[in-house]
Amino acid sequence: MLALAVLFINLSVFCQEKGLAFGYPNTSRTVLMINEGWRFHLGDPDIAFFNEDFDDSSWEMVSVPHTLKLTSINLDGVKDDKTQPTFHRMVGWYRKNITVTHDPGKKVFLKFEGVHQVTDLWVNGEHVGQHSVGGYTPFIYDISSFVRYGAENQITVLADNRRRTDVPPDPGRFDYVKFSGLYRDVYLVETNSLRVTFNIEDSNAGITITTPSVDPVNMNATIDIKTVVRNDGDIPRIAVVLNRIIDRSGTVVLKLTDTATIEPGQNHQFNQIGGIEEDLHLWSTDDPYLYHVNTLVLESGTPIDAVNNTLGIRKFELDPTDGFKLNGKSIEPIGFNRHQHYGYIGDAMPNSLHYKDMLQFKQLGFNVVRTAHYPQDDALIKACDELGILVYEEAPSWISISQNPRWFENMEKAARTMVRNHRNHPSVVIWGAGINHRGYVPRIHYAIKQEDPFRLTASQNSRWTGWQSSGLTDIFANMNYGPGIWERQEPLFAMEGNYGPEVIAKYKRDPMLTGLISWTAHAYYTFHDIGNEEDRTRLGIFNSFRYPKDFSLWWYPSELTRLPMIYVDNQWTKEVKNMTIYSNCEEVELVVNEHVIGRYKPSNALKYQGLDHPPFEIKINSFEPGKLVANGYIQGKLEATQTLYTPQKASAIRLVVDTIGRTFIANGADILVAYAEVVDEHGMVIRDDDSLIKFSVKGDAHIVGNDAGIGANPLRVKDGAAPVLIRAGLQPGKIEITARAKGLDAASAEVNTVSEQVDMIFANAYPIYDFDEVKVDMGAADQLVQFGWKAWNGKDNESSVLVLESIDDAKAEISPFDGKGVLRWLGEMNVIGKNGYVYGEGVLGICDEGIALTFEGLKKGRYRLKTYHHAPVSNTNSMDPNIERLKNESIHTLPYAKFLKAEIHDAGKTRIISDVVVSQGKELQFEEPGQMVIDFSSDGMDPVKIIFKSKSEPNGVWLNGFELRHWK
């Protein structure tokens, strides 16, 4: 497909310059990210700042995501308990002017991905509505009747984070801090009045894509798409919905079309189903292959609306014996829980940092994440789709529930919205159907199953609140930190637990322990009594700035990734008596000051039984300061190495800027993280250093918290590094970051910011190479026609013509090239295997000059022809109704060419394709038939002729069928 795609490169560039990728439909829908340019004011919930004539010019200018207040690592010294009665329990006002379409017939919407926690919206001073389901739930408002079309409009948002007894996770207690603000993306969406609805509007809304069957053995899948289209106009309208599945190369692999008349003010659900049987790509954690699903609404042939989704085709199941299976193969989900908290900014993380968290997971080899304890950002789920990480997602809760009946109403709404919002993401495989620690909740399980009957639900048990079972849910998910009442009556999946090689070994050697999501990846803010008033973040193998806290985390890539690696968990000092090394190599060699002190095997301790790569635990009998080299060998070959030196006096700063896998966007909100490490002359990190690091920035960017009095700058080194958050400005360009400390050499680094693409239609558009297609099954009149293929029935020794209706009524003719040869048409046979009725029958041409397949009436353009060449052997038996005729049939026994070539005559040129092997036999279950793929052009006037002939001595030529595509 790549070669064909190259043919369109000039046209693709032209289309991109016009605003969209080649072939992507241009419709009435616009989606603009409106994160920049908000005016912000903290407090004063009772003042009417929503009045249109209010002068907000003195308010602070901010970009989204935004928190009401930056916070220090010690939570500003606030002494709240776990109900969080005061911290960030305030309101924030946000105001922005927007310009909408001139067309009064269009619909206008505002979409909010998340606002803490109750949100009121005004447009031009009029109250549009209040969203009170909670701060972790997206919502949409139709503002069409509130805006002035073709003019500037004023919007006001009140983000109210005060405590509510009816909005989970309030009223508390909860182990995490609920931060504040307009902290996720905001979009202005305009559509035609004939439109695809939004998924989160209702149970039956938007687009629902499911795969009712996925066969990883025979590699086929059934795809079901439900599309809800609404007519907000005044008259009935005839809508055509075209759903196209598009592979990674941009090629359409499946098209589904349906038509309906939709009355004014009504919705219509289009139910379409089809499948992929050829060249299917499955989504997995090792190969997260994504298709696009482009849903197009047309009216009288004109594109009206288009919505894009990604599709990952996978089969995820829980087997009572073999545990979790992905695409028929047993897997052990191993990963960590993740809070969206980040140092200083709380929940207000830009999309880049959500992606970086999951890239960090992938680099360590984790294949699963639990979104503790609430639905998380769309950017995180999208990252998991792209990187191949399974997701366990749950509605917002912790342990407590409110006595207010509205609490459960909002809890159920939050769960339903979570499912509607993320149901089309392949990474999401488990919905949490309980309340954290409390176990399964029937109401939540039922609500989730009603929204999504295909995915698994999990309970959320812990032994300290009463050991439970899976109950109604599919999975017994437990906080497995130690002994409990578990009779092994069902598999146990630890949605929380400890971490490290000894813990993972226990799970890998026990098939009833089906996986572990450890607690927790990153330190998170909490009012839990942790006994440390200076740092109110808790636990985590990384700190809240994503710098390692526990270096045993480097064991994970040795066990979970394939790339040879080695990591020494100790510094080379005289205090080292026992050295721990993590490696997936077979043998480790230690070299001190150029002298080999030993070769070692991984530990064979019983506690590590079940691991593929236990740690190397090496006793150091004598210490010699200087240089230590650890070499890893596989089958005697050096595959990985690490060099350490005995730490010396701290001498310099090393500035590590985390730019891997991302760009730095000049939108006023994007954040880049850098770490100042204190090192000696050999570059060894001095882990116990506590130097005070002063950061500075040149260019259009600033240090987060620099003047906020939260201790962000200067900052003391802890655990080997001092982190700094750099927030981009609005002007793209060069940014210089410098770190200085007394007595140390300073360090600087340069990065560049780039412009943001706020037009999300353009940003997410992709090439679509669409085509008209015909599939033709050739044979005698009594042939067994392949399902879904067009029959071409010919008579012996007569040229034959077929009209190709789906290719603009062009005609195909098969004949001996010289008009004198023999054509024999075989009927009523088959070959075992996919499309066996195509390969089992066909036409056998015997002519010294070959047989000709001629196309007339083709429109000007590019075409792809795929022809099949197989010499069948009869599979008939006593049940065949024409057994007597078949006993006398001799066509399939005639001599035929084993190797073919083809001459292509198109557009005044002649080309030759050679060395095509003709397959033969009764079955093609595990092999492909002989085939040719021929790309050709038509000038729209002259016929195109393909001549098939034997590559060497004259012999019969088999042609069983073909597929012809006309590329649009």
Side-chain angles (χ1 to χ4, degrees):
M1 293 299 177
L2 180 62
L4 187 60
V6 170
L7 296 172
F8 294 112
I9 188 167
N10 293 331
L11 184 56
S12 298
V13 171
F14 171 79
C15 291
Q16 289 168 4
E17 289 172 351
K18 293 294 183 181
L20 288 173
F22 174 75
Y24 196 90
N26 189 8
T27 72
S28 301
R29 181 176 290 254
T30 61
V31 181
L32 297 179
M33 181 184 288
I34 55 171
N35 286 354
E36 295 181 18
W38 291 84
R39 292 287 183 178
F40 169 69
H41 175 78
L42 180 64
D44 300 315
D46 300 321
I47 298 180
F49 291 135
F50 51 80
N51 287 331
E52 187 177 7
D53 59 358
F54 173 74
D55 182 6
D56 59 16
S57 60
S58 64
W59 287 12
E60 180 185 1
M61 185 71 78
V62 301
S63 292
V64 174
H66 181 262
T67 180
L68 296 186
K69 188 176 181 294
L70 296 173
T71 186
S72 66
I73 292 300
N74 72 347
L75 289 173
D76 302 337
V78 174
K79 304 296 184 181
D80 277 0
D81 60 27
K82 285 193 286 188
T83 63
Q84 194 182 325
T86 67
F87 183 75
H88 276 234
R89 295 300 196 173
M90 45 194 167
V91 305
W93 292 90
Y94 297 86
R95 286 169 58 93
K96 180 179 175 65
N97 291 336
I98 59 171
T99 301
V100 304
T101 176
H102 288 77
D103 182 357
K106 291 185 73 173
K107 301 290 292 181
V108 184
F109 303 89
L110 285 175
K111 178 183 177 183
F112 297 84
E113 287 189 355
V115 186
H116 277 309
Q117 70 174 336
V118 175
T119 310
D120 283 274
L121 174 67
W122 292 264
V123 173
N124 298 326
E126 293 187 64
H127 190 244
V128 177
Q130 182 184 84
H131 176 261
S132 58
V133 174
Y136 302 100
T137 303
F139 57 97
I140 290 172
Y141 277 114
D142 181 350
I143 61 172
S144 306
S145 60
F146 297 88
V147 298
R148 293 185 290 267
Y149 284 86
E152 193 170 67
N153 295 267
Q154 198 283 315
I155 58 175
T156 302
V157 173
L158 176 61
D160 187 345
N161 203 46
R162 291 174 292 185
R163 193 164 180 261
R164 291 272 296 254
T165 61
D166 61 340
V167 179
D170 273 344
R173 304 169 292 141
F174 37 90
D175 183 34
Y176 51 96
V177 171
K178 181 165 56 58
F179 285 95
S180 58
L182 187 57
Y183 77 102
R184 290 181 184 169
D185 297 333
V186 186
Y187 300 94
L188 173 64
V189 183
E190 297 177 354
T191 71
N192 193 282
S193 58
L194 183 67
R195 63 182 178 90
V196 177
T197 56
F198 296 94
N199 280 28
I200 63 175
E201 287 186 74
D202 197 79
S203 294
N204 298 309
I207 299 168
T208 305
I209 307 167
T210 58
T211 50
S213 65
V214 176
D215 183 350
V217 175
N218 297 300
M219 292 298 286
N220 59 69
T222 302
I223 302 167
D224 182 271
I225 306 176
K226 301 184 188 303
T227 308
V228 178
V229 178
R230 180 170 179 80
N231 178 8
D232 280 317
D234 299 325
I235 60 173
R237 299 176 72 174
I238 300 173
V240 175
V241 167
L242 169 62
N243 267 299
R244 291 178 290 181
I245 313 297
I246 300 143
D247 69 13
R248 192 177 282 173
S249 73
T251 303
V252 175
V253 297
L254 176 66
K255 288 190 281 191
L256 304 169
T257 306
D258 200 5
T259 305
T261 299
I262 308 176
E263 297 298 323
Q266 298 297 310
N267 292 347
H268 179 80
Q269 180 170 290
F270 292 80
N271 300 314
Q272 298 169 307
I273 194 165
I276 300 177
E277 293 188 72
E278 298 178 8
D279 199 26
L280 176 68
H281 299 275
L282 297 178
W283 184 96
S284 70
T285 54
D286 293 326
D287 181 16
Y289 190 99
L290 291 172
Y291 293 88
H292 285 288
V293 180
N294 186 261
T295 303
L296 180 62
V297 180
L298 302 103
E299 184 180 35
S300 302
T302 300
I304 298 295
D305 197 10
V307 177
N308 183 59
N309 283 277
T310 51
L311 167 66
I313 299 174
R314 83 287 185 275
K315 184 176 185 178
F316 186 79
E317 56 192 321
L318 176 60
D319 186 279
T321 302
D322 297 328
F324 288 110
K325 288 185 173 182
L326 182 60
N327 301 328
K329 298 179 181 178
S330 294
I331 65 165
E332 187 91 14
I334 296 174
F336 275 74
N337 281 259
R338 186 257 191 184
H339 269 298
Q340 64 187 21
H341 294 182
Y342 219 97
Y344 308 147
I345 58 177
D347 287 348
M349 293 174 61
N351 293 337
S352 59
L353 294 186
H354 290 293
Y355 179 84
K356 286 293 297 183
D357 276 1
M358 293 302 96
L359 181 60
Q360 188 182 68
F361 268 47
K362 196 65 179 180
Q363 290 167 333
L364 290 168
F366 304 155
N367 61 6
V368 66
V369 60
R370 174 172 170 245
T371 65
H373 299 287
Y374 38 79
Q376 295 191 10
D377 199 286
D378 292 351
L380 182 104
I381 308 301
K382 181 174 180 286
C384 291
D385 289 346
E386 295 172 354
L387 295 169
I389 299 172
L390 305 174
V391 176
Y392 175 133
E393 190 171 28
E394 61 194 35
S397 67
W398 198 53
I399 298 178
S400 299
I401 62 175
S402 173
Q403 300 297 316
N404 188 332
R406 284 202 60 199
W407 188 93
F408 254 114
E409 291 177 16
N410 282 326
M411 177 69 171
E412 179 180 334
K413 288 178 182 177
R416 288 183 181 274
T417 305
M418 169 186 74
V419 175
R420 296 169 191 171
N421 192 38
H422 291 155
R423 67 190 176 207
N424 292 331
H425 290 271
S427 59
V428 180
V429 292
I430 298 171
W431 303 117
I435 290 178
N436 196 56
H437 300 266
R438 295 285 294 271
Y440 76 92
V441 177
R443 181 172 178 177
I444 303 305
H445 165 80
Y446 290 136
I448 288 174
K449 282 296 186 182
Q450 191 174 50
E451 298 285 342
D452 179 8
F454 293 96
R455 285 181 177 84
L456 300 171
T457 58
S459 64
Q460 296 177 223
N461 301 287
S462 67
R463 70 179 187 274
W464 47 85
T465 51
W467 197 270
Q468 305 293 326
S469 66
S470 61
L472 288 163
T473 62
D474 302 303
I475 301 170
F476 177 38
N478 199 278
M479 297 181 179
N480 196 25
Y481 288 104
I485 303 170
W486 175 46
E487 303 296 337
R488 304 178 69 85
Q489 72 280 9
E490 58 181 329
L492 186 153
F493 177 53
M495 82 217 195
E496 285 188 24
N498 294 315
Y499 62 89
E502 186 174 350
V503 176
I504 299 300
K506 179 180 178 182
Y507 282 81
K508 294 193 79 170
R509 65 176 176 257
D510 187 344
M512 290 290 283
L513 295 173
T514 54
L516 170 63
I517 310 178
S518 298
W519 191 262
T520 181
H522 313 115
Y524 61 99
Y525 284 105
T526 180
F527 284 108
H528 201 105
D529 182 11
I530 58 176
N532 185 354
E533 296 301 323
E534 293 184 3
D535 186 345
R536 299 293 301 172
T537 63
R538 181 175 185 238
L539 303 175
I541 55 172
F542 295 89
N543 66 21
S544 62
F545 300 96
R546 283 42 176 179
Y547 192 80
K549 283 176 61 180
D550 187 336
F551 293 96
S552 68
L553 66 88
W554 297 115
W555 168 77
Y556 281 91
S558 75
E559 179 74 11
L560 304 178
T561 67
R562 297 187 181 93
L563 188 68
M565 59 83 65
I566 191 167
Y567 180 83
V568 180
D569 194 28
N570 311 84
Q571 290 193 310
W572 185 236
T573 65
K574 63 181 179 180
E575 288 77 21
V576 174
K577 305 301 180 184
N578 294 285
M579 177 166 284
T580 301
I581 297 177
Y582 307 126
S583 179
N584 48 18
C585 294
E586 297 169 352
E587 194 174 29
V588 164
E589 175 188 70
L590 293 183
V591 182
V592 176
N593 297 326
E594 311 303 329
H595 299 291
V596 176
I597 64 169
R599 284 205 175 205
Y600 309 92
K601 297 288 187 182
S603 171
N604 59 3
L606 290 177
K607 63 182 180 179
Y608 297 138
Q609 186 178 16
L611 297 180
D612 295 320
H613 300 288
F616 291 75
E617 296 180 332
I618 302 167
K619 185 177 182 180
I620 303 299
N621 295 315
S622 61
F623 170 76
E624 180 182 326
K627 178 182 177 182
L628 170 73
V629 179
N631 294 319
Y633 291 88
I634 299 176
Q635 296 182 352
K637 182 181 178 183
L638 179 64
E639 294 288 357
T641 188
Q642 183 185 5
T643 300
L644 288 79
Y645 292 88
T646 302
Q648 303 297 309
K649 180 181 177 181
S651 61
I653 296 171
R654 179 167 61 210
L655 191 59
V656 180
V657 183
D658 190 5
T659 57
I660 297 173
R662 61 160 298 174
T663 54
F664 193 19
I665 300 174
N667 61 4
D670 200 12
I671 290 174
L672 185 68
V673 185
Y675 307 98
E677 297 177 332
V678 176
V679 299
D680 67 7
E681 60 181 326
H682 296 296
M684 295 292 100
V685 174
I686 310 302
R687 293 182 183 178
D688 59 356
D689 188 273
D690 64 350
S691 297
L692 188 66
I693 307 292
K694 176 68 175 179
F695 296 97
S696 61
V697 172
K698 292 182 181 179
D700 189 19
H702 68 272
I703 295 170
V704 174
N706 192 49
D707 301 315
I710 61 172
N713 189 33
L715 184 66
R716 290 206 176 274
V717 172
K718 184 179 179 181
D719 298 324
V724 63
L725 307 186
I726 309 299
R727 192 187 300 276
L730 298 174
Q731 298 300 318
K734 184 171 71 175
I735 307 298
E736 183 180 351
I737 309 164
T738 300
R740 295 182 174 88
K742 185 178 180 180
L744 300 175
D745 293 342
S748 295
E750 289 184 358
V751 294
N752 289 289
T753 58
V754 299
S755 298
E756 182 169 44
Q757 177 55 255
V758 297
D759 184 335
M760 305 312 294
I761 300 293
F762 176 80
N764 296 319
Y766 46 85
I768 301 177
Y769 300 113
D770 204 350
F771 53 84
D772 291 328
E773 181 181 47
V774 63
K775 295 182 177 183
V776 176
D777 183 359
M778 306 176 74
D782 58 343
Q783 70 169 317
L784 299 170
V785 181
Q786 184 68 43
F787 304 110
W789 290 55
K790 182 178 179 63
W792 188 351
N793 303 326
K795 296 181 180 179
D796 282 353
N797 300 317
E798 294 184 12
S799 298
S800 183
V801 175
L802 181 71
V803 177
L804 309 176
E805 294 88 353
S806 58
I807 308 289
D808 303 310
D809 289 328
K811 295 179 180 179
E813 180 182 11
I814 187 75
S815 61
F817 180 73
D818 61 5
K820 300 177 183 179
V822 174
L823 283 182
R824 298 290 306 278
W825 295 76
L826 178 62
E828 201 163 316
M829 287 177 61
N830 75 84
V831 168
I832 301 171
K834 186 173 68 175
N835 295 332
Y837 295 116
V838 175
Y839 317 139
E841 302 145 333
V843 59
L844 178 66
I846 303 174
C847 176
D848 289 351
E849 300 300 321
I851 59 172
L853 179 62
T854 306
F855 296 102
E856 294 192 14
L858 295 176
K859 287 188 175 181
K860 185 176 181 180
R862 293 291 304 174
Y863 293 81
R864 168 161 288 185
L865 176 68
K866 188 175 186 179
T867 59
Y868 297 101
H869 307 275
H870 177 79
V873 174
S874 177
N875 271 314
T876 190
N877 59 37
S878 60
M879 293 300 294
D880 195 308
N882 286 322
I883 185 68
E884 294 304 320
R885 184 191 64 78
L886 283 175
K887 285 180 179 178
N888 298 319
E889 186 61 76
S890 60
I891 298 173
H892 61 280
T893 64
L894 294 176
Y896 65 90
K898 306 297 191 299
F899 302 93
L900 297 180
K901 63 180 179 180
E903 292 180 6
I904 301 98
H905 301 264
D906 66 326
K909 299 178 182 178
T910 300
R911 295 172 288 120
I912 294 178
I913 293 178
S914 190
D915 295 329
V916 174
V917 180
V918 178
S919 55
Q920 67 87 31
K922 297 182 178 183
E923 61 96 9
L924 285 171
Q925 294 189 80
F926 308 108
E927 297 179 0
E928 290 290 319
Q931 55 193 272
M932 295 186 188
V933 177
I934 301 169
D935 293 325
F936 65 84
S937 298
S938 170
D939 58 13
M941 298 178 293
D942 299 318
V944 174
K945 190 182 294 287
I946 294 96
I947 304 165
F948 303 99
K949 59 176 65 177
S950 174
K951 188 171 179 292
S952 53
E953 75 285 352
N955 248 326
V957 173
W958 274 109
L959 178 60
N960 312 86
F962 63 84
E963 300 174 55
L964 180 64
R965 291 179 174 181
H966 177 200
W967 295 89
K968 296 180 181 178

